[in-house]
Amino acid sequence: MRAKKRVVTYGKAVPPSRGATSGPAPKTRRTPTVRTIRSAIVEPRPAPPPGPASPAARPVGPPVAGPARSTVDLSVDLGRGLVLRNPILVASGTFGYGVEYADVVDIQRIGAICCKGTTLRPRQGNRPPRVTETPGGMLNSIGLQNPGVDAVLERYASQWAGWKVPVIVNVAGESIEDYVGVVRKLDLVPGIAGVELNISCPNVGKGGLQFAIDQEAAAAVTRAVRRATELPLIVKLSPNVADIRPIAAAIAAAGADALSAVNTLSGMALRADRTGPFLGNTYGGLSGPAIKPVALRIVYEVAQVVGIPVIAIGGVTGLDDVLDYLAAGAVAVQVGTAIFADPTLPVRLVDQLAAECGRRGLASYGPLIGTALPTRPNAASAKGVEYRP
Amino acid sequence: MQLVDAELQESRQVLPGQWLQQYHAPALAVSARAGQFVHVRTGDCSGLVLRRPFTINTADPATGAISLHFREVGRGTAWLTRLRPGERIDMLGPLGQGFQVDSRSRHLLLVAGGLGIADLRLLVDEALRDGRQVVLLYGCRDASEVYPSSLLPDEVEYLVATDDGSVGHRGFVTDLVLDYEAWADQAFACGPLPMLRTLAGLVAGRKGRLGVATLGRKRGGGRPVPLGSPAARKKAFLQVAMEQNMGCAVGACLGCVIWGVNGPQRVCREGPVFAFDEIDWEATAGAGTHKR
Ligand SMILES: Cc1cc2nc3c(=O)[nH]c(=O)nc-3n(C[C@H](O)[C@H](O)[C@H](O)COP(=O)(O)OP(=O)(O)OC[C@H]3O[C@@H](n4cnc5c(N)ncnc54)[C@H](O)[C@@H]3O)c2cc1C
Ligand SMILES: Cc1cc2nc3c(=O)[nH]c(=O)nc-3n(C[C@H](O)[C@H](O)[C@H](O)COP(=O)(O)O)c2cc1C
Ligand code: FES
């Protein structure tokens, strides 16, 4: 049976006025940052400490005498009842439907699996070649090859329903109707723990302009999906924008339960003989360690302007990356490209994070979240784009 | 499929720029079938982000040894050549669908272009073990690249074609096929894409009058089998091992597809071995990294 329950009574309200504005978040508003985000961490199950709600208030014990690994609570609430046993997820497109790696990975120990991008109708994807290695990363141009939502449900939903690990379906589309159509089919299906909207797709209705780079379209698709389902709703941000903050705020205001950041960076590679682009699709998405500084910057910015949980994605290859993203305000991380080289990494990260908490004498990892965020309300990162080249 | 800690036992250059490495990896040695491959982690993943795929060149269940035969072409293969005996590396495998030999096939024709030999080498051993006759046709540029016959069992009939005629037939290895197509019950090939395409064209032109397909017809034709199924592959006169850049190598990322007549096919999962008639040769030309 699933640990996850679908409850609509998730208490954390999104401040109503936020994000409806355009441009960076209002300077006058002290962003919720650390405190609100910390509340996403589920309190340690055996009687939460009295007094201040934040586990940060717990006395820090001597390093060696900290709680044993098994007593560290890694659970995290991503909203609307989507409670994960740990904050290490696997990223969409890098872990298939969860079944492919099952021979070599104890998949039930992963926090959650984000499955391959799923569309209303089957898609054959882009012309090959579709992947190539680049310095510290890789480019991919899969083109959302998938058998369509009906086939995905038929093939996998009943398996997923028997898993301990929640499966979050990554949803893609070319129109708001596409997204809503997919999500309607997912709604109330046992085995679907939540949806993650991949909005880095061309919006046919707006001449191919990506939803993710258009604040109104991003908010509109979020709102439409929100109306169509009670499933926990994560919206995945694209890094390919000048300023992510108004977009993130608009998506939060439109009813997303959580944000994930980031999708791949747009890039390209040439054939060895330089007679043309290497990828069959000319352009591809860059992922892997090379994008981590960009993703870290975006998580840092987003965490300061929204009150909903942020899930960091981009170049996680070890515990240090997880700790960096937590410090920048994320409550969870997804591991993507690194899985290809190191399939057991996500499961090891769960153990390593618990051990790290134990070493620091922490009962949960909550105190690790947001430690690098500015404490001043008008820190440069929350203001404008002045630091950009 | 397993993650295996493989220990390098022996590493030597068998041809200019080409290496033969033997690893102790019992789990792979007992389970590997001809045509399957391993996905090898080369160095630390923050530098080289992806693993490298290599065909299992030989596998000896008795000693627990497998071998890889590869050409040094870039950073990953260069890293491999620097390994010293005793060092251990991480291999994921065995992966993919290997060659399917029909139980009725007595005469196997193997066609290798250059390093394509690595894909066929284990098939030689398996076929001889099963009492089949093997003819190996090998094509390369010149005498310096000819695969040493000392690396082959004596029972194999081994013919060479070189582009410049410095050894054996002068011209393409595919020229030699004509002499053997009537003899062969099945053919298996790996090599540069133009070679495979020529072979596929040749076989397609014979419209099923070759090999086990003929045997099947004599016995009443048999039931039609869906393209791409193991049964259809087993019946196919020609099977080819394909190549594509890979991400996961376990079927998860859809990065390694080539175009088949029924749409995209994952080389790591549906392949790397395909029946010749599964592939859309037109769409596949120039759409891969096939450079062996
Ligand atoms: C199923 C399969 C089996 C293979 N078996 C063998 C073998 O037995 N012997 C052998 O010499 N080679 C084999 N290859 C090709 C081998 O994988 C590449 O030569 C190798 O990956 C090159 O790595 P590199 O870092 O040295 O080269 P680089 O050019 O630096 O590699 C850059 C990236 O491109 C990829 N790449 C480059 N060339 C190829 C290629 N031809 N095919 C797939 N990916 C490539 C690399 O894996 C890496 O991700 C096989 C390929 C496949 C798909
Ligand atoms: C091969 C591949 C396929 C991907 N497919 C999807 C997808 O279908 N939907 C999606 O939202 N993101 C997809 N992504 C993006 C990843 O989920 C992730 O956001 C990105 O790779 C950055 O994380 P990483 O650096 O850890 O890989 C894909 C990435 C890769 C490498
Ligand atoms: S390499 Fe990932 S699907 Fe084949």
Side-chain angles (χ1 to χ4, degrees):
Chain A
M1 249 320 280
R2 306 290 296 282
K4 178 206 78 94
K5 40 198 174 323
R6 289 266 305 279
V7 277
V8 200
T9 51
Y10 186 68
K12 192 150 48 77
V14 179
S17 62
R18 182 138 28 97
T21 55
S22 52
K27 288 171 192 167
T28 49
R29 186 176 54 80
R30 202 196 145 104
T31 51
T33 63
V34 185
R35 200 179 51 78
T36 315
I37 292 164
R38 276 196 181 147
S39 72
I41 299 298
V42 177
E43 294 295 332
R45 213 71 60 180
S54 167
R58 300 193 116 221
V60 175
V64 278
R69 192 195 277 181
S70 56
T71 67
V72 176
D73 184 3
L74 293 184
S75 62
V76 54
D77 186 344
L78 295 179
R80 219 165 276 261
L82 181 57
V83 178
L84 312 185
R85 286 185 304 158
N86 67 68
I88 311 294
L89 296 80
V90 289
S92 174
T94 61
F95 212 72
Y97 298 92
V99 298
E100 293 83 353
Y101 273 110
D103 278 0
V104 289
V105 180
D106 185 359
I107 56 170
Q108 306 302 339
R109 295 202 53 217
I110 297 169
I113 292 171
C114 300
C115 80
K116 176 66 192 165
T118 302
T119 51
L120 195 54
R121 281 169 287 276
R123 282 177 60 105
Q124 293 211 325
N126 291 331
R127 257 177 75 81
R130 292 176 172 183
V131 294
T132 186
E133 196 179 62
T134 56
M138 68 176 284
L139 285 167
N140 88 81
S141 63
I142 310 300
L144 289 173
Q145 181 184 336
N146 81 98
V149 62
D150 292 330
V152 168
L153 289 176
E154 192 188 309
R155 287 179 206 173
Y156 304 109
S158 61
Q159 278 189 75
W160 291 343
W163 288 0
K164 260 195 321 202
V165 55
V167 176
I168 295 165
V169 176
N170 183 278
V171 175
E174 290 179 335
S175 65
I176 291 181
E177 298 76 58
D178 278 3
Y179 285 96
V180 169
V182 176
V183 168
R184 285 233 170 88
K185 288 178 185 255
L186 299 175
D187 199 34
L188 300 176
V189 175
I192 313 297
V195 295
E196 179 181 55
L197 295 192
N198 171 3
I199 55 169
S200 305
C201 305
N203 178 359
V204 168
K206 277 209 179 177
L209 188 69
Q210 284 181 18
F211 288 95
I213 64 172
D214 175 353
Q215 186 182 323
E216 266 99 61
V221 69
T222 306
R223 213 175 297 117
V225 168
R226 176 73 295 159
R227 274 199 296 267
T229 183
E230 282 300 330
L231 280 167
L233 172 59
I234 303 165
V235 178
K236 184 165 177 176
L237 304 176
S238 164
N240 304 314
V241 297
D243 188 355
I244 194 71
R245 289 162 294 186
I247 300 170
I251 293 169
D257 297 307
L259 297 175
S260 54
V262 294
N263 214 316
T264 52
L265 277 70
S266 181
M268 75 179 291
L270 301 183
R271 280 189 216 128
D273 60 7
R274 302 198 171 82
T275 54
F278 175 81
L279 296 171
N281 183 51
T282 302
Y283 305 112
L286 182 64
S287 62
I291 73 167
K292 187 191 151 191
V294 178
L296 189 65
R297 185 259 296 166
I298 288 176
V299 167
Y300 180 80
E301 290 177 339
V302 170
Q304 294 176 69
V305 298
V306 300
I308 56 178
V310 178
I311 305 164
I313 324 172
V316 172
T317 63
L319 182 66
D320 281 340
D321 302 314
V322 175
L323 298 176
D324 281 356
Y325 280 126
L326 294 178
V331 302
V333 302
Q334 295 184 12
V335 186
T337 301
I339 292 169
F340 299 155
D342 191 2
T344 59
L345 175 68
V347 171
R348 293 203 321 276
L349 287 175
V350 175
D351 291 336
Q352 288 170 7
L353 181 59
E356 177 69 13
C357 291
R359 204 180 57 74
R360 299 194 194 196
L362 301 174
S364 94
Y365 70 96
L368 305 178
I369 296 171
T371 57
L373 290 174
T375 45
R376 291 171 294 119
N378 286 322
S381 57
K383 271 196 320 219
V385 291
E386 77 282 357
Y387 59 94
R388 273 170 225 262
Chain B
M1 186 216 310
Q2 297 180 54
L3 274 166
V4 171
D5 191 27
E7 183 185 332
L8 182 67
Q9 294 178 313
E10 198 193 325
S11 177
R12 65 194 167 106
Q13 213 164 343
V14 282
L15 288 169
Q18 290 187 32
W19 295 73
L20 187 62
Q21 292 190 330
Q22 181 179 305
Y23 290 89
H24 187 63
L28 296 173
V30 296
S31 53
R33 307 303 324 273
Q36 288 189 302
F37 67 102
V38 286
H39 212 27
V40 178
R41 189 163 173 188
T42 49
D44 133 50
C45 86
S46 62
L48 300 182
V49 171
L50 298 176
R51 288 172 180 252
R52 269 55 175 167
F54 298 98
T55 305
I56 300 167
N57 180 65
T58 58
D60 185 349
T63 62
I66 66 158
S67 70
L68 309 181
H69 175 189
F70 62 90
R71 177 180 281 141
E72 184 181 343
V73 292
R75 289 205 297 157
T77 44
W79 185 87
L80 282 176
T81 66
R82 290 194 297 271
L83 286 177
R84 293 287 156 256
E87 290 189 83
R88 309 172 83 84
I89 60 170
D90 175 353
M91 294 185 181
L92 178 63
L95 300 168
Q97 313 297 321
F99 296 103
Q100 303 274 349
V101 181
D102 191 290
S103 59
R104 295 165 294 168
S105 290
R106 308 267 42 102
H107 300 164
L108 306 193
L109 179 63
L110 276 44
V111 188
L115 258 160
I117 185 72
D119 288 64
L120 299 169
R121 183 61 192 78
L122 187 52
L123 184 59
V124 171
D125 290 348
E126 287 185 2
L128 294 176
R129 184 199 61 203
D130 296 342
R132 301 186 160 99
Q133 289 181 42
V134 177
V135 169
L136 171 64
L137 310 179
Y138 177 84
C140 58
R141 221 167 351 188
D142 56 40
S144 74
E145 291 186 347
V146 174
Y147 188 72
S149 59
S150 60
L151 294 176
L152 288 167
D154 293 339
E155 297 89 332
V156 179
E157 188 172 335
Y158 177 40
L159 284 94
V160 175
T162 49
D163 294 351
D164 65 356
S166 51
V167 178
H169 170 78
R170 179 195 184 125
F172 293 128
V173 66
T174 44
D175 304 340
L176 300 173
V177 170
L178 301 175
D179 296 339
Y180 288 91
E181 59 172 15
W183 170 85
D185 296 321
Q186 276 187 292
F188 305 89
C190 183
L193 204 52
M195 177 196 114
L196 298 179
R197 214 177 156 189
T198 305
L199 281 175
L202 205 140
V203 173
R206 302 291 191 272
K207 296 211 168 55
R209 291 193 301 273
L210 291 171
V212 279
T214 337
L215 299 178
R217 210 183 338 259
K218 275 179 205 148
R219 293 181 10 184
R223 266 170 274 108
V225 282
L227 193 72
S229 65
R233 286 187 183 170
K234 228 172 218 171
K235 268 193 170 173
F237 178 70
L238 175 64
Q239 291 167 36
V240 290
M242 303 296 287
E243 205 172 292
Q244 184 60 280
N245 275 32
M246 289 186 172
C248 66
V250 301
C253 76
L254 305 167
C256 65
V257 307
I258 55 170
W259 231 254
V261 294
N262 286 340
Q265 305 288 318
R266 294 168 297 184
V267 170
C268 73
R269 198 66 185 210
E270 285 79 45
V273 175
F274 296 89
F276 75 100
D277 53 355
E278 288 175 51
I279 310 238
D280 180 340
W281 294 99
E282 213 57 56
T284 299
T289 45
H290 216 101
K291 47 191 178 201
R292 263 190 275 168

